[in-house]
Amino acid sequence: MEGAAHCSLETKRLLLDPKFEGYKLSLEPLACYQLELDAAVAEVKLRDDQYTLDHMRAFGMYNYLHLDSWYQDNVYYIDQFGRVMNLSVTLDTALQKPREVFRLPTDLTAYDNRLCASIYFSSSTWVTISDGTGRLYLIKSGKRGNSASEKWEIVFNEELGSPFIIVHSVSFVKSDKHSVSVLLLRVEKDELDTKGSGFHITLEWVTFVEMNKADEHRYEIYKRRILQGKSVPHYASIEPSGDGLMIISYKPFKFVQEKEEILEENDDKKTTNEKKDPLYYWQQTADDLTITVHIPQDITKDDIKVHFSPDNICVTLKDQPALMEGKLYSSVDHESCTWIIKENKSLEIFLIKKNEGPRWPELIVGDKKGEFIMDSSQCAEISESLMHLTSEVMNPDPEKENPPCNAQELEECDAFLEDGASLCRFDGNTLKVTHVINLGSNQYLFSVVADPKEMPCFCLRHDVDALLWQPHSDQPQNMWEHIATFNALGYVQASKQDKKFMACAPDYSYAALCECLRRIFIYRQPTPLSTVLYNRKEGRQVGQVAKQLVTTLEASDPILGFQATNERLFVLTTKTLFLIKVNAGN
């Protein structure tokens, strides 16, 4: 994580509703249609050697229903005969049976150690499929949902090692060549892990490039990059340009290199890895900053050049590269800044803060060459300001203005299993982390594709609400945008102990969750009322109401897949596909 920019998620206050009063249970009936499947879904149950929580998260809770975000109300699943089945909905009252669009050449029943088959729609005309045995198919599909122009043609078909599932895939053009990048996930045995679960998680980032040879359009593997971590990622997505990767996970991931490369790198960097003395030291008060730089004995006053500006500083000695240079953390009164050479051959620079009071966490933005020195009075002041947060007893002074946090006041649904989750952005060229966000208690809830040309959005819990974030890899200043809020959903979903899947409409009009069996909960966004309604406690008129709807499926089989579109919810069980009409069409 060294060298990565530590960022934060900035919420839009206009999208928050501090006066939200909760969901009102609505008894309005929802139209529910069901289609009996010709063959059962190709469900793969966990084996005895897949006993960890990571196996359960990656494969046991796998969503077997796949939504094609490029075409409205198009869903796919793979049945036990290896057929990719598609249901395209235009009219609920005239539903067609799911149709076969592709058949895997592999006989799935012949493999004992396979994983669930997975599919991802890279673009409007490209699809990637894994059969669960370790084989990847790159398919040119034509325009899907239209049988006249749709023809699934395999352009790459190869074994890529041990079995995996597809997490994400994108299609893009670079250097006038069409490329497809795929992210594959494996849970692998780790012989070196004697204290943990005995497994590690592997994310393999594979890029295919079109190779034109003798009028033949073939695709070959251009790059294979591997990341390893100790927990299944909640979210992993490749940027639309194929230049980077974003991962939300409890434990960090890092790129794994070949042993030879690591040895060479260690030899080259042996000296740089040794701890170096800081080039300068700095202190600060509420009004000013003092920088101390040790200079060689032969340096005179004429050899030193110090340039001040309101937001920058540059210090050079003789004709050497700049000793200090960069953007200051905050503005200074550059006309009042000075410097002197002391008797012990040290250069002292005095900066006057333009805004008195606030402490600077760093002197020069992003510069790690200096060291901050805090005097004893500042240490004592900080210690005293934090004193109220800790105590030898539970609550020594309940009347105190800032009482300590009492964990007993928290409800059961406020507890998080994972408090250390982080969001990391990896650069595809340097293979290093460029941005990090510590999510803390902002629990990951689900992901959704709002715009298929963008990265998938992710939904996080913020206090009681659920906030939807859209990554923008091409906007460094606004890389994660808050685009929607589901009021109180963070709190509501925590009380549903049997929940299996969560989703929301791409237009954010509702969110939904399902339990392992039968029950579906739908939470609509607040809408204006057609009748007059008053709050009985406060006596004021209520302008809009958010509705909660509950529906129960007529099925005894467990729910295997769950997807939401703007108008419908699709729910898949072993032998039945249900359609729930949530919103009327435009």
Side-chain angles (χ1 to χ4, degrees), residues 5 7-8 246 425 435 472-480:
C7 310
S8 60
M246 292 188 193
R425 191 262 174 188
H435 299 76
H472 298 294
S473 58
D474 57 344
Q475 300 177 28
Q477 302 304 316
N478 185 32
M479 195 167 281
W480 296 279

Side-chain angles (χ1 to χ4, degrees), residues 189-200 230 251:
K189 192 77 176 171
D190 189 345
E191 302 295 342
L192 300 177
D193 184 8
T194 56
K195 295 182 179 179
S197 66
F199 292 87
H200 64 239
K230 296 299 291 183
K251 295 181 180 177

Side-chain angles (χ1 to χ4, degrees), residues 256-266 268 431:
V256 179
Q257 297 169 294
E258 296 294 331
K259 291 181 180 179
E260 292 79 6
E261 291 180 18
I262 295 174
L263 290 173
E264 288 175 15
E265 191 174 308
N266 288 342
D268 294 339
L431 307 185

